[in-house]
Amino acid sequence: MSEVDYTALIPNNVDLASDARLKRALEAWYPKYLDWWRKMGPVGFQESEVYLRTAVGVDSEGWAKFGYVKMPEYRWGILLAPQEEGRKIAFGQHKGEPVWQDLPGEYRAMLRRLVVIQGDTEPASVEQQRFLGQTAPSLYDMRNLFQVNVEEGRHLWAMVYLLQKYFGRDGRQEAEDLLMRTSGDKDKPRILGAFNETTPDWLSFFMFTTFTDRDGKMQLESLANSGWDPLARTTRFMLTEEGHHMFVGRTGVERVIQKTCEIMKEHGVTDPADKDAVRKHGGIDLATIQRKINFHYSVTLDLFGAEISTNAANSFNAGLKGRYREPMIDDDHQLENDTYPVARVVDGKVQLVDTPALNAINARLCDDFIADCEKVMLRWNRVFQTHDLDYSLKLPHRAFHRAVGEFSGTFATDAGELISESAWQEREHEWLPADSDLGYILSLMQLQTTPGKYASWIAAPRAGINGQPGEFEYVKLAAA
Ligand code: BYC
């Protein structure tokens, strides 16, 4: 069924009413989730009325409605994309067989791991962003932050549904554990590196939603063709929501660049390295924006795992996790005799090495991610052109500042030249923000709550959410 039951405590299109055991398990998890949301979710705005989008259907047209909601009352639902009749496994050794509706027993452990890792990132990002409401540069941005947060919450529900429906007692335990780990916690951290970093300011948030949410898109796209149909259908619908998160990031950074360009033009600043000239007018200088790109992009590349990975080969071979947009790739979708060029360190240099394609699944996804990020850079660099400024931002080399995979343990410049550790450390702040840069960004973070007004360091958006006018009150703040 694909009709969404909104009368139920947990809105769903999975006919929860007819599965008493699952319904009980999810209803028992709900108060724990709410507890977590209140403790670890957005600080200070739980009673405010936020103009949010809520998913009410799963068709591509008209799947969501907008209205004011207090976040703890958001209708977090379980929504799967419609089942496709006769769908076949599209890749790996089971290619051509009907997709699995039940959990394939031999792949239980692999699937559990994929679902848990995916699930773990969702609450992690909410935790990372929990203080940002207090320094929102406008009500428009505050609303976008909370939209992202409630949808990450819904994505957690999506994974918890899979765990509780298909993995029995272990699944229920994993669902509990997803609420027990905490981003950045010394003893019980979140599973993947980037989700334990802090998101202390809004430029970090926009970089995170540009780059790290884009990893989310790539990973979800790879799972959206899974031979395990419940996972494919769940992730397909998650992708519908993911687009807005990346929009928030891309346009957020774009608006920061726009404001900096306006300041530079207005005050005749021509040297992009002249931080002070921009900072004294309350903007974020271009060199600092570039360093923030370098940091967030490199940390996100680590999320793809090792470029050469038997885990990834096994889950591809098993038909569980494919490549980016698998059905559009023109090959045999089994890859047993194929090779793929992987960037590796050979003779002290980064070189492409032909590698068995099955082992290079992570490397390929990473390449697709990089190509997607390049498109974002084109958009950002267009802002300079419209201001007649001869400047461009760029992605650092894939070997730069890596902690996972081929380049972990090496030291590369932003252009990919391998250098010694001491040489790298001497030049680190050419490429990565110094504490003083981060301190400056933090000093700009002041709450702006007048409808239609924006902080000094960011331009207004081109259009409102859901066609709303410039002065729209996106968040009705609760009286303190
Ligand atoms: N940090 O063969 P390897 C999102 C571990 S983001 C720490 O290299 P594999 C979102 C790995 O677990 C998308 N550990 O990699 C965005 C393994 O440990 P075990 C999240 C790491 O397995 C914004 C060992 O190293 N979804 O949705 O091929 C906001 C060797 O692993 C890291 C997914 O990632 C790391 N960075 O690939 C909200 C999809 N990387 O098991 C949400 C599901 C690797 O040997 N996950 N390790 O002890 C996967 O597909 C894969 O697990 C990975 C790693 C791509 C993450």
Side-chain angles (χ1 to χ4, degrees):
M1 84 190 260
S2 66
E3 199 120 309
V4 182
D5 176 4
Y6 260 88
T7 59
L9 174 68
I10 301 166
N12 70 91
N13 69 344
V14 294
D15 199 11
L16 200 52
S18 72
D19 187 340
R21 189 193 57 81
L22 175 63
K23 186 161 169 282
R24 253 198 324 276
L26 285 167
E27 286 180 358
W29 188 79
Y30 197 177
K32 296 177 191 165
Y33 169 80
L34 273 182
D35 234 32
W36 166 84
W37 178 270
R38 284 185 188 280
K39 275 202 212 103
M40 298 310 298
V43 173
F45 297 92
Q46 303 278 350
E47 293 309 312
S48 299
E49 303 264 352
V50 188
Y51 185 68
L52 291 176
R53 166 179 91 171
T54 304
V56 292
V58 289
D59 300 329
S60 51
E61 296 299 313
W63 61 274
K65 74 171 180 11
F66 286 83
Y68 285 102
V69 183
K70 288 185 185 168
M71 284 184 279
E73 292 165 17
Y74 189 76
R75 303 301 309 278
W76 283 287
I78 295 169
L79 304 169
L80 270 59
Q83 188 169 335
E84 271 173 39
E85 266 330 297
R87 194 167 83 83
K88 300 272 195 291
I89 299 173
F91 57 92
Q93 68 189 36
H94 300 287
K95 186 181 151 205
E97 296 172 20
V99 291
W100 299 290
Q101 296 304 334
D102 296 322
L103 188 70
E106 72 269 42
Y107 300 135
R108 189 178 197 279
M110 263 196 258
L111 280 168
R112 175 174 148 185
R113 181 171 168 280
L114 287 173
V115 171
V116 166
I117 293 181
Q118 181 62 51
D120 192 67
T121 62
E122 315 291 0
S125 66
V126 176
E127 291 164 357
Q128 289 172 297
Q129 295 160 14
R130 61 197 291 257
F131 294 109
L132 290 176
Q134 296 175 326
T135 55
S138 70
L139 289 183
Y140 166 88
D141 291 292
M142 183 190 279
R143 175 261 164 218
N144 282 347
L145 165 73
F146 294 155
Q147 182 72 60
V148 169
N149 292 161
V150 293
E151 287 176 349
E152 300 301 8
R154 206 200 67 70
H155 292 180
L156 169 61
W157 274 90
M159 292 300 117
V160 163
Y161 161 73
L162 292 177
L163 287 169
Q164 294 198 335
K165 180 165 168 82
Y166 295 97
F167 292 85
R169 184 132 60 118
D170 304 2
R172 288 194 291 280
Q173 186 57 49
E174 293 283 14
E176 306 267 308
D177 290 349
L178 284 168
L179 300 176
M180 306 301 281
R181 287 184 290 271
T182 304
S183 174
D185 190 279
K186 179 159 79 22
D187 303 318
K188 284 188 163 181
R190 291 295 174 183
I191 298 171
L192 299 177
F195 292 88
N196 289 303
E197 299 285 345
T198 57
T199 311
D201 61 72
W202 278 76
L203 186 57
S204 303
F205 171 65
F206 292 138
M207 292 289 176
F208 182 96
T209 37
T210 297
F211 293 116
T212 310
D213 276 83
R214 196 168 304 273
D215 168 47
K217 166 179 131 177
M218 306 310 288
Q219 300 291 348
L220 292 174
E221 287 271 7
S222 317
L223 296 171
N225 292 299
S226 180
W228 185 38
D229 207 35
L231 179 60
R233 293 173 55 205
T234 302
T235 47
R236 272 178 201 190
F237 186 67
M238 289 162 76
L239 278 163
T240 317
E241 291 159 317
E242 204 62 38
H244 176 68
H245 304 190
M246 287 177 294
F247 164 86
V248 168
R250 177 181 60 74
T251 57
V253 176
E254 206 165 286
R255 289 162 53 216
V256 177
I257 298 171
Q258 160 98 16
K259 191 60 195 259
T260 303
C261 289
E262 286 168 9
I263 291 174
M264 289 174 74
K265 278 268 151 189
E266 192 183 336
H267 299 281
V269 183
T270 48
D271 177 6
D274 189 352
K275 288 186 196 181
D276 296 339
V278 169
R279 290 185 183 185
K280 83 176 172 225
H281 300 290
I284 303 181
D285 51 284
L286 298 177
T288 299
I289 296 174
Q290 177 65 64
R291 290 188 191 113
K292 289 292 284 177
I293 292 172
N294 295 347
F295 175 78
H296 287 271
Y297 173 73
S298 57
V299 165
T300 303
L301 286 181
D302 282 343
L303 290 174
F304 289 85
E307 289 82 347
I308 298 176
S309 161
T310 46
N311 280 344
N314 291 340
S315 48
F316 181 88
N317 222 358
L320 307 179
K321 184 180 171 195
R323 292 166 294 174
Y324 181 57
R325 303 198 170 153
E326 181 70 44
M328 329 258 278
I329 301 174
D330 184 19
D331 62 20
D332 72 354
H333 304 276
Q334 291 185 312
L335 308 181
E336 275 156 19
N337 303 311
D338 294 0
T339 59
Y340 187 81
V342 178
R344 311 194 68 177
V345 178
V346 183
D347 300 333
K349 284 207 194 83
V350 182
Q351 303 190 23
L352 289 177
V353 178
D354 279 337
T355 306
L358 266 178
N359 293 328
I361 295 285
N362 286 347
R364 177 170 181 141
L365 192 61
C366 203
D367 286 348
D368 290 330
F369 169 77
I370 293 173
D372 216 45
C373 291
E374 290 289 4
K375 290 189 203 144
V376 174
M377 302 309 290
L378 287 178
R379 303 277 299 243
W380 289 350
N381 283 331
R382 237 180 263 157
V383 183
F384 299 115
Q385 289 153 18
T386 58
H387 287 80
D388 287 328
L389 280 173
D390 183 19
Y391 189 78
S392 56
L393 294 161
K394 59 183 191 318
L395 296 173
H397 192 275
R398 68 177 74 216
F400 172 76
H401 188 235
R402 298 294 305 278
V404 173
E406 283 300 311
F407 305 108
S408 61
T410 69
F411 294 87
T413 65
D414 60 346
E417 187 197 340
L418 298 179
I419 56 177
S420 71
E421 180 173 3
S422 59
W424 194 88
Q425 270 159 0
E426 254 169 52
R427 297 178 62 188
E428 175 176 357
H429 294 302
E430 273 177 41
W431 306 307
L432 293 175
D435 285 349
S436 57
D437 298 323
L438 299 175
Y440 171 68
I441 298 175
L442 265 186
S443 76
L444 293 176
M445 298 296 122
Q446 308 283 341
L447 183 63
Q448 172 54 268
T449 58
T450 309
K453 288 246 174 331
Y454 291 82
S456 67
W457 51 272
I458 188 163
R462 274 207 211 126
I465 292 293
N466 196 29
Q468 295 296 351
E471 310 238 314
F472 186 73
E473 191 177 6
Y474 286 102
V475 183
K476 293 183 183 166
L477 299 171

